Amino acid sequence: MKGRTLGRHVKEGGKNLVRNGWMTFASISAVTIMLFVVGAFLLLIMNINEFADSLEDDVEVRVFIDLTADEENQSELETEIQDIDMVQTVDFVAKEDGLESLITSFGDQGTYLESLREENPLNDVFVVQAQDPQQTQVLAEEIQTLSYVDDVEYGADIVEQLFSVTNIMRYAGIVLIVGLMFTAMFLIANTIKITIIARKREIQIMKLVGATNGFIRWPFFVEGLLLGVLGAIIPISALSYGYVKLVEVVQGTPELSFLTMTPPNPLILQMGGLLLGIGAFIGIWGSMMSVRKFLKV
Amino acid sequence: MITMKEVWKTYPNGVMAINGIDIHIDKSEFVYVVGPSGAGKSTFIKLMYREEKPTRGTIKIGDEELSKIKERHIPLLRRKIGVVFQDFKLLPSLSVYENVAFALEVIEESKANIRKRVMQVLDIVRLKNKARFLPHELSGGEQQRVAIARAIVNNPSVLIADEPTGNLDPETSWEIMKILEEINDRGTTIVMATHNKEIVNTMRKRVIAIEGGRVARDDAKGGYGYER
Ligand SMILES: Nc1ncnc2c1ncn2[C@@H]1O[C@H](COP(=O)(O)OP(=O)(O)OP(=O)(O)O)[C@@H](O)[C@H]1O
Ligand SMILES: [Mg+2]
């Protein structure tokens, strides 16, 4: 196709947008709302994932060593644990150290526990970290079966709950997004259909004088693309601005310091690219669907 | 130029519009297609530029057999055939010049070429001085001349017209006929369906009469042959 012709198609496509005023507005609004939800969900899910990852890193298995085990038994046990594939690190915490940190963690009231130093009730402990935090539970169960293990403890519940929350969010998000996407596509297809009906005569004449289907399709392609891209502008700018501000606020508030947020820098760029892509895709898809039906006649 | 062999056309609703037509039209011929209303004249013409496909039989334009042309090459066929209608089919928002240029824009001609060709054909139909006018600012005859200019602007070897004078008064109809004859003199084959008895009887050309979807008569220099 020649550049001059492309210029003509772009001009025609733009003219149609203006000509269909309200329908154009409705289509762009639908895309805007849809992309808003997609973008917000994306940011939320990315952050929950990040938060879950940070918690996962703290997940460890505490192995309480049987009181009857002597030093030799202990090092045997340590080797056995280390031989398990899933294991990343094994740290030994002697019961004296354990008590020490327990007393410290109680602060002032810790002094009441001083007397325990005489007869330490704690076990020696191995702190085991799994290579993949999701394996923690399996790992804990395996360690439980080893000899000289009194008990094992791990923060399974939090981790599992977190995983199920992110999964539910992901699925709910996908369902919502797909629904909205179809709505937007339907509206775009309808807008373009109105354009086409208005230009029915023109198309008929174009075909009569030997225009190819491709030539006829181009302005509608441009129109769909413009609908999608225009619909993406507001959600991208609003969500980017909002997210940067939110991160600033969270980081500036000491009470919220436990929240680790995904840094805006690559994230909002990725989100922007994705929203722009989705917008363009459904715009083009919607317009091509309605043109195809029409050109067959 | 145009050959039909054993052509039949039944519309999806069961109407049998064309029932076994064999016809040959040579290059540079001028042919009237006459017959009563509903006889199948428009269908006969639509088959030529592939607006309708025959149910049976073969149609050749030049040395191309229409049924062998791929769907996506139909536009190439259309560029070799100019078509004119009773209702002109002009785009109301475009000027005379733009309406004619439109046929060259869709085939991506250069601006300079478009300008040259459009001015040439507007000269042929004697509308050079009204190039900037919009269709509604023209008389019916003038609008039909614009349509003819558009039909011939890419030098088609065949010009097909379905009742081109159907909406025009007798005097204006004669203007159109003179222009068509001129175009024919330049070597363009013309096939024209008409109900205009006076024209057919005065400007004597080959006459193909269609009745009930069949060729009832085919005279080299025939008359209209129907009482209105
Ligand atoms: N698209 C169509 N679908 C179904 N039937 C059609 C269609 N077009 C025409 N017909 C039928 O085919 C027959 C021939 O119609 P056609 O238009 O070819 O006649 P015609 O000779 O051009 O008539 P007129 O002089 O009134 O223009 C008619 O009975 C008509 O009802
Ligand atoms: Mg007719």
Side-chain angles (χ1 to χ4, degrees):
Chain A
M1 184 172 46
K2 296 175 184 167
R4 162 167 36 86
T5 316
L6 183 64
R8 176 200 175 273
H9 293 321
V10 172
K11 213 172 74 189
E12 286 294 315
K15 256 199 248 167
N16 285 338
L17 279 189
V18 178
R19 208 178 295 163
N20 296 332
W22 277 107
M23 284 304 291
T24 298
F25 180 74
S27 304
I28 292 179
S29 307
V31 176
T32 300
I33 292 167
M34 194 248 343
L35 291 182
F36 237 116
V37 177
V38 174
F41 257 94
L42 189 76
L43 294 178
L44 196 61
I45 288 172
M46 292 300 273
N47 274 286
I48 292 179
N49 276 350
E50 176 110 352
F51 190 58
D53 279 348
S54 76
L55 285 189
E56 276 170 3
D57 288 343
D58 298 339
V59 175
E60 55 196 19
V61 183
R62 299 180 72 83
V63 183
F64 298 93
I65 304 162
D66 203 289
L67 293 171
T68 59
D70 57 25
E71 253 180 57
E72 203 174 310
N73 300 142
Q74 282 190 2
S75 64
E76 252 171 55
L77 179 59
E78 181 165 7
T79 331
E80 278 180 72
I81 293 173
Q82 240 145 13
D83 283 348
I84 300 172
D85 281 341
M86 292 172 271
V87 170
Q88 187 163 32
T89 57
V90 181
D91 290 311
F92 179 70
V93 181
K95 54 185 167 193
E96 293 78 19
D97 297 335
L99 186 61
E100 192 62 46
S101 55
L102 188 67
I103 291 169
T104 323
S105 74
F106 274 85
D108 288 347
Q109 278 125 37
T111 44
Y112 300 116
L113 299 171
E114 288 290 347
S115 60
L116 291 176
R117 285 186 198 281
E118 305 297 314
E119 185 104 6
N120 191 335
L122 300 182
N123 299 58
D124 289 326
V125 168
F126 283 126
V127 177
V128 182
Q129 200 110 41
Q131 265 161 10
D132 176 356
Q134 299 216 27
Q135 295 172 333
T136 305
Q137 190 186 354
V138 187
L139 180 60
E141 278 161 8
E142 185 156 346
I143 293 174
Q144 178 85 70
T145 62
L146 301 177
S147 37
Y148 301 111
V149 173
D150 186 15
D151 197 8
V152 293
E153 224 183 65
Y154 62 100
D157 288 358
I158 313 169
V159 178
E160 267 156 34
Q161 274 171 21
L162 212 57
F163 276 126
S164 62
V165 167
T166 38
N167 279 341
I168 289 169
M169 298 262 324
R170 234 172 259 156
Y171 291 130
I174 286 169
V175 169
L176 192 65
I177 287 164
V178 168
L180 285 165
M181 230 150 105
F182 272 105
T183 313
M185 245 190 250
F186 174 78
L187 274 168
I188 287 178
N190 242 28
T191 308
I192 305 264
K193 202 152 60 180
I194 285 173
T195 320
I196 295 174
I197 290 168
R199 298 183 57 191
K200 195 170 172 175
R201 228 178 123 74
E202 192 173 335
I203 291 175
Q204 193 191 8
I205 292 168
M206 281 167 105
K207 295 198 90 169
L208 217 55
V209 295
T212 57
N213 283 349
F215 187 92
I216 295 171
R217 223 179 263 134
W218 262 97
F220 300 110
F221 179 89
V222 172
E223 191 183 345
L225 181 69
L226 286 177
L227 286 175
V229 169
L230 290 177
I233 290 176
I234 294 175
I236 290 176
S237 18
L239 286 172
S240 301
Y241 179 79
Y243 188 69
V244 170
K245 283 282 157 211
L246 182 68
V247 171
E248 267 173 29
V249 169
V250 168
Q251 283 173 348
T253 314
E255 293 81 35
L256 295 175
S257 63
F258 66 93
L259 277 176
T260 35
M261 295 199 70
T262 317
N265 190 344
L267 182 60
I268 58 174
L269 273 181
Q270 289 162 351
M271 179 207 61
L274 187 74
L275 295 195
L276 204 62
I278 295 176
F281 174 78
I282 63 166
I284 292 169
W285 185 266
S287 79
M288 289 301 97
M289 271 195 332
S290 48
V291 176
R292 201 190 53 188
K293 249 186 282 168
F294 197 88
L295 286 179
K296 278 210 175 127
V297 181
Chain B
M1 191 72 229
I2 302 171
T3 311
M4 291 198 182
K5 280 216 175 80
E6 265 303 299
V7 171
W8 298 68
K9 172 68 188 179
T10 306
Y11 281 109
N13 63 358
V15 174
M16 295 164 70
I18 298 291
N19 304 300
I21 283 191
D22 276 289
I23 209 88
H24 180 80
I25 296 170
D26 266 327
K27 192 164 162 38
S28 305
E29 263 196 281
F30 194 128
V31 179
Y32 295 119
V33 180
V34 300
S37 186
K41 302 182 293 296
S42 293
T43 306
F44 176 74
I45 275 182
K46 282 178 184 164
L47 288 168
M48 288 182 191
Y49 65 93
R50 189 58 145 73
E51 171 144 352
E52 296 291 349
K53 287 188 215 171
T55 322
R56 238 185 322 138
T58 56
I59 302 171
K60 271 173 99 175
I61 305 281
D63 18 84
E64 276 193 285
E65 194 183 316
L66 299 198
S67 62
K68 297 221 170 99
I69 299 179
K70 292 197 192 80
E71 205 59 47
R72 73 196 145 86
H73 290 146
I74 296 298
L76 302 181
L77 168 77
R78 298 267 172 84
R79 292 169 196 180
K80 290 188 221 155
I81 303 175
V83 193
V84 175
F85 297 91
Q86 186 172 356
D87 62 354
F88 322 136
K89 292 201 196 301
L90 299 177
L91 293 169
S93 58
L94 301 185
S95 70
V96 167
Y97 180 91
E98 289 165 337
N99 261 290
V100 178
F102 192 68
L104 295 176
E105 269 167 26
V106 308
I107 60 173
E108 301 191 46
E109 271 290 350
S110 73
K111 258 218 155 59
N113 267 349
I114 291 179
R115 189 158 186 84
K116 205 176 91 203
R117 272 302 291 164
V118 172
M119 282 335 232
Q120 271 173 11
V121 293
L122 285 182
D123 196 27
I124 294 175
V125 300
R126 295 185 270 285
L127 276 176
K128 237 173 155 174
N129 55 337
K130 296 200 167 159
R132 300 269 152 244
F133 283 46
L134 290 172
H136 75 263
E137 297 168 326
L138 302 176
S139 71
E142 286 169 333
Q143 291 187 44
Q144 190 61 297
R145 273 143 63 191
V146 177
I148 292 172
R150 184 183 61 198
I152 61 172
V153 77
N154 49 26
N155 269 324
S157 42
V158 182
L159 180 64
I160 293 174
D162 195 351
E163 301 190 40
T165 62
N167 283 344
L168 306 175
D169 60 62
E171 203 175 319
T172 320
S173 299
W174 277 113
E175 267 175 39
I176 298 296
M177 289 315 295
K178 274 189 211 119
I179 287 167
L180 289 181
E181 193 165 39
E182 269 178 51
I183 292 166
N184 179 238
D185 287 342
R186 291 162 193 254
T188 307
T189 310
I190 296 189
V191 180
M192 168 179 159
T194 185
H195 282 291
N196 196 318
K197 183 180 171 187
E198 194 198 327
I199 287 177
V200 176
N201 284 338
T202 312
M203 195 188 268
R204 291 277 168 146
K205 305 284 182 193
R206 178 176 171 189
V207 175
I208 296 174
I210 293 180
E211 284 172 39
R214 304 179 138 271
V215 176
R217 182 161 56 92
D218 186 352
D219 294 337
K221 284 250 187 292
Y224 187 70
Y226 296 99
E227 286 314 312
R228 236 310 22 142

